[in-house]
Amino acid sequence: VCAWHPCPSTETALGSSDNLEHRRKDRQVRLAAFGINSILYQRGIYPPETFTRVTHYDLSLLLTTDPKLKSYLTNVVSQLKEWLFECTVQKLVLVITCLETNEVLERWQFDIECDKSAKESSAPREKSIKTIQHEIRSVIRQITATVTFLPLLETPCAFDLLVYTDKDLVVPDKWEESGPQTIDQPEEVRLHSFTTSIHKVNSMVAYKKTESA
Amino acid sequence: MDLEDDTTILTTLKSFNSFISRPEHPQRLSEHSAGSGILQSQYKRSMELLEAAERVHSKNRYLQLDQEKKQMELSHKRARFELERAASDSARDLEHEVDRNQELLGQIKKLEERAEEVNKKLTEQKEANDALQKNLEGLNKTLEERDDKLGTANQTIRSLKDEIRELRQKIQNQDSKMSAQTLENQELQEKIDLQQRKYQEVSQLCQSLQAAQSSCSDHIIKIKELERRLVFQEQDFAIVKTVKSEVARVPDLEKELKRLRDDNAYLRESRENCSLLKEEVEGLRKKLERMEKTKEELINMELEKEVKVWARSQSELRAELTQQHSKTLEEQKKREAQDALVRRLQKRVLLLTKERDGMRAILESYDSELAPTEYSPQLSKRLREAEDILLKTQSHNAEMEVCLQACINILFFFALLNSVCACIFFLRQKIEDLERERQRLEEQNNILEMRLERHNLQGDYDPVKTRVLHLKMNPTAIAKQERQQEVEALRQEVTRLRDLVRSLQSGGAVGHSQDDTHNPSFSLSLAPSKEVLDLRKQMESSELRNQRLKEVFQRKIQEFRTVCYVLTGYQIDITTENQYRLTSVYAEHMDDSLLFKKGSNGSMQLMETEFSKTLGEMVALHLHHQKSIPAFLSAVTLDLFSRQTTV
């Protein structure tokens, strides 16, 4: 059972604007999930044979089959969807840590600017499948392109997802506060930003400079 | 007989030749027989000739030879026989020897094979030993490496802990710095707000200043216009005056004409009025002087007044504007008064000039009519002098008026300009200072904003507004836990391997079986090579075989012994080397036993025991007399048996 399809019940039960909102959030959250999967595949955090091709929006995309990873991502993504709806998310960060030295080697940061006033008042404009495809393709293309200049990850690594939220929101059960996990003297590369109907997402990747002789 | 002898001799010769030639050239016989037919005939003939001569000599010889030959043959035969026998014997011996040789060779081969096998086994064992030693060395090395790794891991753990501590401290420092920076930021923002307000105020002031400036310029323009108007008015006034004067002249002239005519008539009547005229002239002069003084006094007073007024107005700009107005009004009034005065004066002057002219005309007429007397030139001179003085005073008046005007104007404008300029300058400086501060603050703001953005890019956040969250069970934490567990497991394995190696090193030379029994896990933790495994299997199988053989032997021996015991009635035990203890089945006491010793020549001898002392008779009979141990033993058995059954 794929975890990414929207609940059909929500589409019929809720009103039109809420319904659209939910669908928008679903899309954005799915975009984030595709992006994360793509990064994990491209950087080799998990072996490539654990990824399978899935068709969404007439595109062939890679998703992981590792059950632990899947459950982790589902947890994070569902919570993220809630927070996106409340517009309390500021950033989503994917941190890649080296297991031997416990240093942060790479940091993928997505700044989310939420237009809070446009939450309810935005016109109920349906996004065509082409624009959705374009968004997903641009995100994945950028991630694939960064692999050309990012340094190789030769040591065993693990990743973590951090969410920057407003201070005043209640921390849910399974979540805890963590440090920003920044890189010491990083190289930063800004990626192309893209906009959805109410969010503007700026993305960048920071990586630790390799000590080249 | 000779022929027969010849033939016999020939045949014997042939046989002899053949005998001679047989072992060497058996083939030549045939050649001789075929190709030597002719030669033989010749040879025969020669031989016959020769033989005829040697017959007698050789007959004996031949007979002797024959005899000898026969003897030889006999002896040969005997020798041959014996030789044959010997040969056969030797052949047989040879065969035996060959067989033995072959057997020995076979044995040798077997022995060699065994030796090879043993060598191989030795080499294999050696190789196995070497391999095991290498394995041991490898194990030692791996242990050392693992020790090193553990050491390095420990070091890295320590260093990581230190790093963690340092990082925590850094984080704390950075937090404090961040809070300080936020505070600074707030302060700066407040300052920026203040500055913005100031800037707004200043801009308002500037605007008001500009408005004031514009109003000032407007006022200046108005003043200029007023001046121009004044000038025009003056010009108009002058024109009007002239016109008026001209207009006024006419009736005056007419009047004067009439008057003059009357005066003429009157003057004609009295010449004596000259002195009166003089006195009048003097009176006029004095009047003029007084007029001048009063004018000057008036002028001075007015100047003083105006100076005081200007001095008062210099302190305030706004009051000046109103004062300007008042001043202009005053000035205008003054000017009007002056003008009035001037007009009056001018009128008076005109009148006077007219009077003068009239007088002059009269005088001239008088002069023309009358003869030139002493008084008229003096009069005329005095008149001229008076006129000159009038003119001078007029010009002086005019000049004074002009100067006054100019001074007034200059003073006025200077004062205005000074005040306005001073204000403008002051305000401009203020504006510049504020502008500079604004720019500086803007630059600072930009730098701070850039820094904030950079920090934001790097992932820093404002702890007052944001929070960073992640799931407790995230892949990195899980991976770190697993790594810890792995490290722990490795450590335990290393300690275990160390113990194993120590035990190996201490008891390694004894044998592999010990290792197997002591540490059955040895074979599990190592990566055993195939040879070692095979050798071990062989060893195990050989040991098993040994064990089984031992068991079998034991059983068999036990069986045999029991059977012996049962059948012979004696239990035979080997006490020491070559000493045998026999215990009978019917022995009355447990320790009744016979002791036999095997001697050096192989014979058994009975030793003295307690029991044997009681059997002296039987010993004497069976052993000493009959020299049969079995008889003795059976006698003892029978004796004991009989005793047993009876008892």
Side-chain angles (χ1 to χ4, degrees), chain A residues 72 76 90-91 100-102 109 159-165 167 169 171 173-178 182 188 190 204, chain B residues 160 163 453-454 456-461 463-476 479-480 482-483:
Chain A
Y72 171 74
V76 172
Q90 296 172 13
K91 289 193 229 267
E100 282 178 15
T101 60
N102 277 332
Q109 183 165 295
F159 82 102
D160 194 4
L161 286 170
L162 310 176
V163 184
Y164 284 52
T165 59
K167 179 96 179 176
L169 86 90
V171 179
D173 245 357
K174 299 187 187 166
W175 292 71
E176 65 176 5
E177 210 163 321
S178 90
T182 50
E188 290 152 21
R190 265 201 171 279
M204 58 154 281
Chain B
L160 282 167
E163 275 184 34
E453 236 214 81
R454 257 205 97 220
N456 267 333
L457 269 181
Q458 287 180 355
D460 281 345
Y461 61 98
V464 175
K465 288 187 202 156
T466 25
R467 219 182 243 182
V468 184
L469 297 173
H470 68 164
L471 268 180
K472 286 178 195 163
M473 295 307 293
N474 61 69
T476 310
K480 280 185 189 170
E482 280 172 12
R483 229 185 148 73

Side-chain angles (χ1 to χ4, degrees), chain B residues 199-374:
Chain B
Y199 174 65
Q200 280 174 0
E201 284 170 21
V202 164
S203 62
Q204 281 173 4
L205 274 171
C206 283
Q207 282 174 0
S208 63
L209 260 174
Q210 279 176 359
Q213 265 187 339
S214 61
S215 64
C216 275
S217 58
D218 290 336
H219 284 303
I220 288 165
I221 291 161
K222 278 184 193 169
I223 287 161
K224 281 184 185 167
E225 278 185 21
L226 285 168
E227 280 177 28
R228 257 187 276 129
R229 273 192 211 159
L230 274 168
V231 165
F232 285 138
Q233 275 183 348
E234 282 174 16
Q235 287 175 356
D236 290 336
F237 276 135
I239 292 161
V240 160
K241 276 178 222 165
T242 51
V243 166
K244 269 189 186 173
S245 64
E246 283 182 5
V247 163
R249 260 192 210 170
V250 169
D252 290 333
L253 276 167
E254 286 176 5
K255 282 181 194 171
E256 279 178 24
L257 263 169
K258 278 182 193 174
R259 244 194 298 130
L260 280 167
R261 274 179 196 153
D262 293 334
D263 289 332
N264 259 336
Y266 179 71
L267 282 166
R268 273 178 200 160
E269 287 177 15
S270 59
R271 240 199 249 173
E272 288 146 4
N273 293 327
C274 288
S275 60
L276 288 167
L277 283 167
K278 272 188 208 173
E279 286 174 11
E280 280 184 15
V281 163
E282 281 179 12
L284 282 168
R285 213 191 284 165
K286 283 174 191 169
K287 275 184 189 173
L288 271 167
E289 283 173 8
R290 267 182 259 145
M291 289 296 288
E292 281 177 20
K293 280 176 195 168
T294 52
K295 227 184 179 182
E296 282 173 7
E297 283 174 10
L298 275 168
I299 285 159
N300 286 330
M301 273 175 64
E302 282 164 4
L303 277 169
E304 279 172 19
K305 278 186 200 166
E306 281 167 9
V307 161
K308 282 180 198 166
V309 164
W310 290 129
R312 262 180 257 149
S313 71
Q314 269 181 14
S315 58
E316 295 169 25
L317 180 79
R318 284 176 196 163
E320 279 175 5
L321 277 169
T322 53
Q323 276 173 13
Q324 274 179 36
H325 275 295
S326 60
K327 272 175 206 168
T328 49
L329 288 166
E330 283 175 21
E331 272 189 29
Q332 275 182 357
K333 284 177 199 166
K334 279 172 200 164
R335 222 179 264 129
E336 283 172 4
Q338 276 185 358
D339 286 331
L341 261 172
V342 162
R343 265 180 258 145
R344 272 185 251 140
L345 283 167
Q346 277 182 348
K347 272 185 194 170
R348 260 205 149 168
V349 160
L350 278 164
L351 281 169
L352 284 168
T353 50
K354 279 171 205 158
E355 276 184 20
R356 196 213 351 135
D357 290 330
M359 296 302 286
R360 217 188 259 168
I362 292 162
L363 281 166
E364 278 176 4
S365 67
Y366 276 144
D367 283 332
S368 65
E369 282 180 5
L370 298 168
T373 56
E374 292 176 357

